[in-house]
Amino acid sequence: MVVTSSTASAESNCDRKTELMAIDRSKSGIKGLVDAGLAKLPRVFVHDHLNLQIKSGPPPAGVQIPVIDFAGVNIDSTRRADIIDEIRNACMKWGFFQLVNHGIPVTTLEEMINGIRRFNEQDPEAKEKLYSREESKKVTFNTKIDMSQALAAYWRDTLTCVMAPNPPAPEEIPEACRDILLDYTNNVMDLGHTLFELLSESLGLNPNHLKDIGCTEGLYVMGHYSPACPEPELTMGTGIHTDSGFLTVLLQDQIGGLQVLHDNQWIDVTPIPGALIINLGDLLQLISNDKYISVYHRVLARNVGPRISIASFFRTYIQPENALRMYGPIKELLSEDNPPIYKETNVVDYFKFKHVKGVEGTSALAHFKL
């Protein structure tokens, strides 16, 4: 029998699918593998396609991800105007910024990180009950797996909770992090309303414009837990991607690993105690007609850990009643000199296209250009 490269590739893909399904069947996640004494990465965690040609590391001298101080944003009109200018510049040039003095107590941030730690470090049986990939469920736990083209697993376990507009019943949220998750997400929703007001103003719009078109209605929260990795150079915590929604509020611990692609270089996002990271998603780039940008980012695996982060995504596709709402470049931003770059789309079609295509290293926005 002659084994062709396509036959070998098909067999290899079949083997990888089998391995990935075995991870799901175990329901114990990455932590279960580590607790069992894993010393060498299984093949499905090895990312052969990692792009190592792009320079990676600390920012060059004078290049820094913007840090915006929110102190006085709601009480000092002069300071508010300065903050709006800073947000505009960050959104045009970086698509990312760190936020300090944002109003959420440091004790709340620390307890949220501890809540995700408690959930992941409890008895495995408590987590196994939630292990699922059913998108209809409001609370799920699983290991990040790409079953589309890459057929790869990522070095992280994730607890996902759909917290708005229709949150789960409190008893559906794991007891290990229930109280703090409810408290933290209420704080994030309040912060999100302020951010979208400032973003609206920074675009020259009425302060309520982005809220009125639904940008603040949906909140999808993912708590990530990445144990220390035995071979971190071979895998990723999160692959190269852009976020799909409008805006993401990220809380990370002090271990680091998040990198942003800026001027064709991977720039480390150095953790700042008490700070939150804000990044724009594809739909905000689309409705701003490319005035603001949604940029590639990734998370490296580390040989220390666990690394814990909580990403809160403002996005609307999780609301059936608004799933077919159309989004296109905001009319007030368009002119003869600034014609629309994108066609209108609804969030169902956008997310369907992005996830069928596979999220790693590709932007779905180009598909929706006129």
Side-chain angles (χ1 to χ4, degrees):
M1 175 184 163
V2 177
V3 179
T4 65
S5 60
S6 59
T7 304
S9 174
E11 288 176 355
S12 171
N13 282 351
C14 185
D15 290 345
R16 289 180 76 88
K17 272 187 181 168
T18 302
E19 286 185 40
L20 291 169
M21 289 165 70
I23 291 171
D24 267 1
R25 277 198 305 274
S26 78
K27 299 187 176 183
S28 60
I30 307 287
K31 187 166 189 309
L33 294 173
V34 171
D35 289 348
L38 182 78
K40 190 171 178 58
L41 286 186
R43 282 180 311 160
V44 287
F45 287 98
V46 177
H47 293 233
D48 298 322
H49 59 292
L50 286 180
N51 186 350
L52 302 176
Q53 288 75 47
I54 298 177
K55 233 174 113 184
S56 172
V63 176
Q64 184 185 1
I65 290 173
V67 178
I68 298 179
D69 188 342
F70 249 31
V73 68
N74 290 319
I75 55 175
D76 182 336
S77 59
T78 303
R79 180 69 197 120
R80 185 182 179 93
D82 289 343
I83 290 170
I84 288 169
D85 285 343
E86 291 175 40
I87 286 175
R88 183 186 301 111
N89 289 333
C91 293
M92 289 171 68
K93 295 172 184 172
W94 283 89
F96 258 81
F97 56 92
Q98 298 216 58
L99 194 60
V100 297
N101 293 319
H102 42 68
I104 303 180
V106 171
T107 50
T108 300
L109 306 183
E110 291 173 346
E111 177 57 15
M112 186 66 244
I113 288 171
N114 288 336
I116 294 301
R117 183 193 304 273
R118 281 194 302 272
F119 170 77
N120 282 277
E121 295 179 0
Q122 65 185 327
D123 290 340
E125 294 76 22
K127 294 186 292 183
E128 287 172 8
K129 289 185 291 187
L130 288 171
Y131 200 100
S132 173
R133 297 197 184 279
E134 285 185 40
E135 293 187 3
S136 59
K137 292 187 174 180
K138 291 190 175 179
V139 181
T140 58
F141 165 70
N142 56 50
T143 296
K144 168 62 178 170
I145 287 175
D146 181 354
M147 289 295 274
S148 58
Q149 295 163 12
L151 288 176
Y154 294 85
W155 195 256
R156 75 166 202 253
D157 293 331
T158 299
L159 174 68
T160 300
C161 301
V162 179
M163 298 303 292
N166 303 307
E171 60 271 17
E172 292 180 63
I173 301 170
E175 187 178 358
C177 58
R178 180 182 301 151
D179 292 344
I180 186 57
L181 185 63
L182 292 167
D183 180 25
Y184 176 73
T185 52
N186 283 338
N187 276 281
V188 168
M189 288 292 284
D190 289 344
L191 176 61
H193 281 87
T194 301
L195 283 166
F196 279 107
E197 280 183 8
L198 297 169
L199 284 165
S200 295
E201 291 183 59
S202 73
L203 289 165
L205 302 167
N206 176 293
N208 289 324
H209 191 104
L210 294 176
K211 286 197 279 189
D212 289 345
I213 63 171
C215 294
T216 61
E217 289 172 5
L219 191 71
Y220 188 88
V221 179
M222 302 178 85
H224 303 310
Y225 180 96
S226 303
C229 180
E231 298 179 290
E233 70 284 355
L234 298 180
T235 191
M236 298 291 290
T238 303
I240 300 167
H241 70 290
T242 59
D243 289 354
S244 302
F246 296 107
L247 178 142
T248 305
V249 177
L250 178 72
L251 167 62
Q252 64 171 349
D253 62 16
Q254 299 303 299
I255 286 179
L258 175 63
Q259 294 187 323
V260 173
L261 189 61
H262 180 74
D263 287 344
N264 206 39
Q265 177 173 348
W266 287 111
I267 305 291
D268 293 332
V269 181
T270 305
I272 298 173
L276 291 167
I277 296 159
I278 310 298
N279 69 279
L280 307 187
D282 295 347
L283 285 174
L284 195 58
Q285 178 168 335
L286 184 148
I287 64 175
S288 74
N289 207 42
D290 275 2
K291 184 176 177 71
Y292 290 168
I293 56 173
S294 169
V295 300
Y296 287 117
H297 49 289
R298 67 184 186 180
V299 179
L300 304 179
R302 308 301 289 261
N303 60 0
V304 292
R307 178 188 187 273
I308 296 171
S309 66
I310 296 92
S312 302
F313 302 90
F314 283 91
R315 59 196 206 186
T316 63
Y317 83 105
I318 51 182
Q319 307 166 77
E321 64 271 24
N322 289 327
L324 298 180
R325 177 188 274 161
M326 300 300 288
Y327 285 97
I330 293 169
K331 304 275 190 295
E332 289 85 345
L333 303 181
L334 303 177
S335 66
E336 199 173 313
D337 297 329
N338 184 35
I341 295 170
Y342 300 99
K343 57 189 174 186
E344 288 194 339
T345 182
N346 63 61
V347 286
V348 169
D349 289 346
Y350 186 82
F351 282 97
K352 193 181 293 180
F353 175 80
K354 181 157 185 170
H355 290 288
V356 166
K357 187 177 183 191
V359 296
E360 174 135 12
T362 61
S363 171
L365 280 171
H367 177 74
F368 295 91
K369 285 196 169 181
L370 289 167

